[in-house]
Amino acid sequence: MPRGKTAGKAPCKPARQLLFSEALRQQKYPAPAASLPPSHDTMSDNTQGASMDRILQEISAVGRKLEGMDTAMSALTAETRSMRLEIAGFQSQISGLDHRVAAVESQVVSQTDRDQELLYLRSKLTDLEDQSRRNNIRFLGFPEGIEGTDILSYLRDTLPKLANITFDPPLEFQRAHRLGLKRQNGQDRPRPIIACFLRHGQVR
């Protein structure tokens, strides 16, 4: 029987070989690591991640605020444009009213001028009528038909002789005629002759 062997039993590996095999097995199949508390680097990464999340949330909130401000600005711009259009319409209406007021004022001034001119013309007409009446003289007693066909020439020649006055310049008449209807009977009272002198001074 060989030395170091026991009859009826399986051969056993030396203890050194067993340790070596165990070490190899552990290297090949490493035991699961026990749960260890997070390291300092892991905690720093988590903190930075949370800070980034907060920053992103704040940025998102600012973006929403900016969007709201953009909407408000758009509404304000539209309202401002509408107000500008209304103001332009008011300005156009005011301009039209100014033109109408200017036209009315011009008409009032023109009406005032016309009123003054009318008053002047009325006074002038009254004066002319008065002068015309003052220049009219009625002659009575001239037999009917003695003047012939030219009553102006008859008066121009006859009146200086009757008055025994020499007129310089000679008498001038605007018009002369008998008043009333022509007498049918020569025995009736003759109609008066009315004559309008051209110059007012010759009447006095």
Side-chain angles (χ1 to χ4, degrees):
M1 175 180 293
R3 188 180 176 182
K5 293 183 181 179
T6 305
K9 294 184 180 179
C12 297
K13 295 181 179 181
R16 184 180 297 174
Q17 187 177 358
L18 291 173
L19 292 175
F20 182 73
S21 298
E22 182 66 22
L24 287 176
R25 187 180 66 78
Q26 290 179 358
Q27 289 181 2
K28 186 175 181 180
Y29 304 103
S35 58
L36 298 175
S39 63
H40 179 72
D41 294 338
T42 303
M43 294 179 63
S44 177
D45 292 340
N46 293 335
T47 304
Q48 291 179 358
S51 299
M52 289 298 296
D53 291 339
R54 286 196 300 272
I55 291 173
L56 291 175
Q57 290 176 358
E58 292 178 357
I59 291 173
S60 178
V62 171
R64 289 192 296 270
K65 290 181 179 180
L66 290 176
E67 289 179 356
M69 292 177 65
D70 289 339
T71 304
M73 287 297 294
S74 298
L76 183 60
T77 303
E79 186 175 358
T80 302
R81 188 179 298 110
S82 177
M83 291 178 64
R84 286 179 178 176
L85 292 175
E86 291 181 358
I87 291 173
F90 291 151
Q91 289 177 347
S92 178
Q93 292 179 0
I94 291 172
S95 178
L97 291 175
D98 288 339
H99 289 304
R100 293 176 63 183
V101 169
V104 170
E105 289 178 349
S106 177
Q107 291 179 359
V108 169
V109 172
S110 178
Q111 184 65 35
T112 303
D113 293 340
R114 284 198 295 267
D115 291 341
Q116 292 179 355
E117 184 179 2
L118 182 60
L119 291 175
Y120 171 76
L121 291 176
R122 285 180 177 175
S123 62
K124 189 70 174 177
L125 179 60
T126 302
D127 184 53
L128 290 175
E129 289 178 348
D130 293 341
Q131 289 185 7
S132 178
R133 292 190 184 97
R134 286 196 298 268
N135 292 345
N136 290 339
I137 295 181
R138 293 172 53 169
F139 298 98
L140 304 176
F142 287 93
E144 192 80 23
I146 195 174
E147 68 276 8
T149 58
D150 189 359
I151 192 172
L152 294 178
S153 298
Y154 174 77
L155 292 176
R156 189 182 305 113
D157 296 336
T158 304
L159 291 179
K161 295 177 182 179
L162 293 176
N164 196 18
I165 299 174
T166 302
F167 292 94
D168 187 20
L171 291 178
E172 293 185 70
F173 301 92
Q174 287 183 344
R175 59 187 177 273
H177 59 87
R178 287 188 181 269
L179 295 178
L181 298 176
K182 186 176 181 179
R183 300 286 190 261
Q184 299 297 329
N185 188 356
Q187 301 299 322
D188 294 335
R189 184 177 180 181
R191 294 174 297 165
I193 296 175
I194 184 167
C196 179
F197 287 83
L198 181 63
R199 294 181 178 83
H200 177 68
Q202 292 180 344
V203 181
R204 292 180 295 179

